[in-house]
Amino acid sequence: MDETRLSAHERRVLAEIEEQLSRDASLARRLRTMRRTPRLPVPSLARTRRHLPFLGIVALGAMTLALLVLAVDTEAPGLIWAFASVWALTLAAVLLLAVRRAKRRAGESRTDG
């Protein structure tokens, strides 16, 4: 493999960067205390964010069901309209989630092939 040499200017810039990094006490402490052994899996924020839309739809579904039962039992126009509104919102959220998932799968299949 061919080794490329750094120019004098690049070496000087690299030395300045290394000097600044060596002065950073918190970075030095973090680098000293880094573990080589893998940690226990902790749910990442990204994974939690990925499940939030699904959990929102589950909550909307539960609210829709509760409003349906109350609207049928009491026959109150306000509850019927509340049920209709939440039901429409739930359907829109399910449709949005399905479209996002289809786009993600289409993108994954393009990168695989």
Side-chain angles (χ1 to χ4, degrees):
M1 180 181 274
D2 294 332
E3 213 175 289
T4 308
R5 300 279 182 192
L6 296 176
S7 69
H9 174 69
E10 292 170 334
R11 285 193 302 264
R12 192 170 41 253
V13 169
L14 182 60
E16 290 174 9
I17 292 172
E18 288 175 347
E19 182 183 335
Q20 289 174 356
L21 289 176
S22 67
R23 282 191 248 145
D24 190 353
S26 65
L27 175 64
R29 186 178 336 106
R30 280 187 285 163
L31 290 174
R32 273 194 314 271
T33 59
M34 286 179 67
R35 297 182 183 190
R36 291 187 181 258
T37 58
R39 296 181 181 191
L40 294 174
V42 178
S44 68
L45 185 59
R47 190 180 333 159
T48 304
R49 282 186 186 164
R50 193 171 54 228
H51 292 297
L52 279 178
F54 177 74
L55 294 175
I57 290 174
V58 169
L60 281 172
M63 193 181 331
T64 301
L65 184 61
L67 284 171
L68 173 66
V69 170
L70 288 173
V72 168
D73 187 42
T74 61
E75 297 178 4
L79 284 175
I80 294 171
W81 280 105
F83 160 73
S85 301
V86 174
W87 179 69
L89 185 62
T90 304
L91 287 180
V94 168
L95 181 63
L96 181 64
L97 186 64
V99 168
R100 284 184 183 173
R101 184 163 292 179
K103 283 183 180 179
R104 188 179 322 140
R105 286 194 179 175
E108 289 174 359
S109 66
R110 271 190 240 132
T111 58
D112 290 342

